[in-house]
């Protein structure tokens, strides 16, 4: 009994070591849960393990597989698990591959961001954004529940410039309509925070994220926090009594509004691009042809083609311009510039308004008027609308030219991967819809439904352009290593 009592701690310690190696090299594998017993039988033990770690590919964890070195005699054998998608058996270290579930999670987060942007646009168009005059991240989740609480919330709103200037005729029932619109927008923002943080904590704790993806997710989490803070900072600018003397209308700072939307666009772009890249890497690692290439051409050969390199360079410029054009739309919304020159294609008697309107000296705040040019671009509603129109024309031309070259330019159609051609054609369809919605919004003096569709379609257009770039993205080092290892293992059979 004494010997048994002494051996018990040793057995427990051995079991703990086995579980540690199983977690490090098996169940924490990003794509699958590998059998712990098989992992333990294949791992090089301490001396050789350090050498293998030094030689492993950089970035993320490495996984030692198919090493024919027996484990120490005292190692505990854990019962085997299902071998659904175990790494190929090759005599080399395979870097970590982020699982497809992470990509799906990020893509779903991007859809939620898109919904928040659309609801935020409707909130802005219905002039509901200033209905809640306090920022209570936790207690603000619960709306007023009885008549007394509604009356208290309504009394707070009565102190705001918007009520004094525009809505002094409001009743409690009318106030509830704009309150719930802004409350819903804020609830969606909180939902995004929870929906992002909980799976992120799980994936990080389970070791499903390599170092690069972990840092990117941390940056996205920071953007979510910055987005909420900027949202309140924007609303606060519309609650200051000084706007009564300055603007005569209750309006948030268009600079803060544009910054708020820019953060949302950046967050959406990061989640969409990274999520789709992870999914594409996972599919490529598991044998799917890269971007639709089925003629035996390798990724390296395709990306070295002059036509592909030229197309990718132009696509990057077009994507950047589409992004900037969308941001200029935020300036249009913030200054109500869409209510001026409600005609197309003319602005008054020509395609551009008179020079004295484009460079109106009333917007200059210095004696020598040295600030007139940039204040006109950022603060003059006439100039802001003209600039947005001009950028929209250029964006349309660039996307159309790319689509035409992908279909009709000699050599380009054969050189480009199928996914790139389909993506740029989707972008061309989206940019045509965007132009039609923009013209309709202008002619009918910014109706809520059409303006919301215009904003939604701008993100659809950006998504198509991002996917065009993704279709010409080289697979990650981990995806290439897994694919090469699978091919090598298949050749040995």
């Amino acid at each position: 009994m004494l010997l048994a009592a002494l051996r018990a701690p040793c057995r427990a310690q051995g079991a703990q070591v086995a579980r540690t190696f199983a977690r490090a090299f098996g169940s924490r594998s990003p794509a699958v849960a590998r059998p712990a017993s098989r992992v333990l039988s294949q791992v090089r033990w301490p001396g050789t393990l350090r050498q293998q770690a030094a030689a492993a590919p950089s970035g993320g964890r490495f996984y030692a597989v198919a090493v024919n070195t027996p484990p120490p005699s005292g190692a505990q054998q854990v019962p085997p698990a299902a071998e659904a998608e175990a790494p190929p058996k090759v005599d080399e270290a395979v870097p970590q591959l982020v699982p497809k579930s992470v990509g799906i999670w990020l893509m779903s987060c991007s859809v939620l961001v898109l919904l928040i942007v659309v609801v935020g646009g409707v909130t802005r168009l219905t002039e509901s954004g200033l209905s809640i005059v306090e920022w209570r991240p936790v207690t603000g989740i619960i709306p007023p529940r009885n008549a007394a609480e509604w009356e208290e919330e309504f009394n707070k709103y009565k102190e705001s410039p918007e009520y004094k200037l525009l809505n002094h005729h409001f009743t409690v029932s009318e106030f509830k309509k704009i309150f719930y619109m802004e409350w819903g927008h804020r609830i969606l923002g909180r939902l995004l925070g929870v929906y992002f943080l909980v799976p992120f904590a799980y994936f990080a704790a389970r070791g499903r994220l390599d170092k690069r993806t972990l840092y990117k997710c941390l940056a996205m989490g920071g953007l979510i926090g910055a987005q909420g803070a900027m949202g309140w900072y924007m609303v606060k600018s519309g609650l200051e009594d000084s706007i009564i003397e300055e603007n005569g209308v209750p309006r948030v700072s268009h600079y803060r509004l544009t910054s708020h939307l820019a953060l949302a666009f950046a967050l959406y772009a990061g989640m969409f691009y990274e999520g789709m890249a992870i999914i594409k890497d996972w599919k490529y690692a598991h044998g799917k042809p890269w971007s639709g290439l089925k003629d035996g051409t390798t990724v390296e050969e395709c990306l070295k083609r002059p036509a592909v390199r030229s197309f990718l360079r132009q696509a990057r410029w077009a994507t950047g311009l589409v992004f900037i054009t969308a941001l200029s739309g935020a300036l249009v919304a913030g200054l109500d510039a869409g209510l001026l020159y409600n005609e197309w294609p003319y602005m008054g008697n020509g395609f551009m308004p008179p020079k004295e309107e484009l460079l109106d000296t009333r917007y200059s705040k210095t004696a020598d008027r040295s600030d007139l040019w940039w204040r006109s671009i950022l603060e003059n509603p006439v100039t802001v609308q003209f600039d947005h129109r001009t950028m929209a024309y250029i964006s349309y031309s660039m996307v159309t030219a790319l689509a035409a070259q992908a279909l009709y330019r000699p050599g380009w159609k054969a050189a480009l991967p199928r996914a790139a051609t389909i993506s740029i054609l989707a972008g061309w369809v989206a940019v045509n819809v965007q132009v039609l919605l923009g013209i309709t919004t202008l002619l009918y003096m910014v109706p809520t439904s059409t303006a919301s569709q215009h904003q939604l379609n701008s993100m659809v257009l950006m998504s198509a352009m991002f996917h065009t770039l993704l279709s010409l993205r080289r697979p990650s080092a981990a995806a290439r290593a897994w694919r090469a290892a699978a091919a090598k293992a298949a050749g040995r059979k």
Side-chain angles (χ1 to χ4, degrees):
M1 293 181 63
L2 178 60
L3 290 176
L6 291 174
R7 288 174 181 171
C10 297
R11 285 196 299 269
Q13 186 176 5
Q16 180 63 32
V17 171
R19 285 193 296 270
T20 300
F21 274 95
R23 286 196 301 269
F25 298 101
S27 62
R28 291 180 65 179
S29 172
V32 294
R34 280 176 286 164
S37 60
R38 191 171 131 247
V39 171
L40 287 175
S41 65
Q42 295 169 353
V43 170
R44 293 186 187 272
W45 291 85
T48 311
L49 185 60
R50 287 192 295 269
Q51 299 174 4
Q52 188 175 358
S58 60
R61 294 164 47 83
F62 71 92
Y63 296 89
V65 294
V67 180
N68 298 318
T69 302
S73 57
Q76 177 179 343
Q77 295 294 319
V78 183
E83 299 190 29
E85 298 169 356
K89 292 184 178 181
V90 290
D91 297 329
E92 60 186 28
V94 181
Q96 180 177 10
L97 180 68
V98 181
K100 185 169 68 172
S101 57
V102 175
I104 295 174
W105 160 63
L106 286 175
M107 287 296 296
S108 61
C109 286
S110 72
V111 173
L112 186 53
V113 172
L114 186 148
L115 177 62
I116 292 173
V117 171
V118 173
V119 173
V122 175
T123 302
R124 163 69 184 168
L125 291 166
T126 56
E127 297 182 347
S128 305
L130 299 176
S131 58
I132 302 179
V133 298
E134 294 177 330
W135 190 36
R136 296 174 294 173
V138 178
T139 58
I141 296 175
I142 303 175
R145 291 164 292 182
N146 51 53
E149 292 183 358
W150 274 113
E151 190 65 33
E152 180 183 358
E153 195 70 33
F154 188 35
N155 288 333
K156 294 177 183 177
Y157 177 66
K158 288 180 179 179
E159 300 299 321
S160 68
E162 183 177 73
Y163 177 85
K164 296 175 182 178
L165 289 173
L166 291 181
N167 298 333
H168 48 273
H169 61 281
F170 263 28
T171 62
V172 174
S173 60
E174 291 173 312
F175 168 69
K176 287 181 180 180
K177 295 179 182 179
I178 62 173
F179 178 92
Y180 274 123
M181 181 62 68
E182 172 65 10
W183 177 81
H185 181 54
R186 295 190 185 191
I187 287 296
L188 284 175
R190 292 178 174 93
L191 177 62
L192 172 64
V194 175
Y195 186 74
F196 179 86
L197 289 177
V198 173
F200 170 68
Y202 170 79
F203 287 130
R206 298 289 294 173
R208 303 297 176 88
L209 308 176
D210 60 12
K211 184 182 295 186
R212 183 183 62 86
T213 306
L214 178 65
Y215 288 158
K216 287 186 176 182
C217 287
L218 287 173
M220 294 175 197
L223 276 177
I224 293 176
Q227 178 73 350
M230 179 56 71
W232 170 245
Y233 186 56
M234 174 191 69
V235 170
K236 189 178 179 181
S237 67
L239 300 175
E240 299 171 354
D241 291 332
S242 59
I243 66 173
I244 298 178
E245 291 79 19
E246 294 177 2
N247 300 329
V249 292
R251 177 190 295 159
V252 299
S253 167
H254 64 288
Y255 290 117
R256 300 183 192 183
L257 175 65
T258 304
S259 300
H260 188 53
L261 187 62
L263 287 173
F265 281 170
L267 184 60
Y268 175 79
M271 289 177 169
F272 180 90
Y273 193 93
E274 185 65 16
M276 186 63 71
I278 290 173
I279 294 174
K280 286 181 174 292
D281 281 346
W282 189 90
K283 290 181 177 180
Y284 180 79
H286 289 78
K288 185 177 181 179
W290 177 79
S291 293
L293 287 177
K294 297 182 180 179
D295 56 357
T297 305
T298 64
V299 176
E300 288 73 15
E301 291 173 346
C302 180
L303 293 178
K304 288 180 180 178
R305 293 171 176 170
V308 174
R309 293 167 67 90
S310 178
F311 179 88
L312 180 58
R313 183 170 56 253
Q314 295 180 44
R316 287 171 177 164
W317 279 103
T319 303
L321 186 57
V322 166
F323 191 88
I324 295 174
T325 304
L327 285 183
S328 71
L331 288 175
V332 173
L335 293 171
D336 292 328
L339 299 176
L340 303 173
Y341 285 110
N342 299 106
E343 54 189 340
W344 188 85
Y346 297 107
M347 294 184 72
N349 295 325
F351 289 102
M352 61 182 297
K355 183 179 179 180
E356 56 270 16
E357 292 187 20
L358 287 174
L359 297 174
D360 193 333
T361 56
R362 291 177 297 175
Y363 292 95
S364 176
K365 295 183 179 181
T366 59
D368 59 356
R369 296 178 182 174
S370 58
D371 62 341
L372 180 60
W373 67 274
W374 66 266
R375 288 193 181 276
S376 296
I377 294 174
L378 298 176
E379 298 180 1
N380 186 341
V382 174
T383 310
V384 166
Q385 188 193 126
F386 174 73
D387 292 343
H388 185 61
R389 288 192 185 201
T390 303
M391 284 187 282
Y393 296 149
I394 299 174
S395 299
Y396 180 83
S397 301
M398 291 188 70
V399 175
T400 301
L402 275 172
Q405 291 181 98
L407 284 180
Y408 302 113
R409 185 170 177 176
W412 278 47
K413 185 176 182 179
L416 289 172
R418 181 171 176 268
T421 303
I422 293 176
S423 297
I424 195 59
L425 288 178
W428 182 73
V429 172
V431 79
N432 277 277
V433 173
Q434 186 70 354
V435 168
L436 292 175
L437 287 173
I439 294 172
T440 304
T441 301
L442 191 66
L443 295 179
Y444 288 91
M445 299 188 69
V446 197
T448 300
S449 59
T450 309
S452 299
Q453 294 174 43
H454 186 55
Q455 185 178 48
L456 171 62
N457 193 71
S458 69
M459 301 189 74
V460 173
L461 173 58
M462 283 194 293
S463 301
M465 299 307 297
F466 290 148
H467 195 272
T468 301
L469 300 181
L470 280 163
S471 64
L472 296 175
R473 169 186 171 272
R474 188 186 185 196
S476 67
R480 298 196 306 271
W482 275 59
R483 189 180 180 97
K488 189 173 182 180
R492 290 183 176 183
K493 293 181 180 180

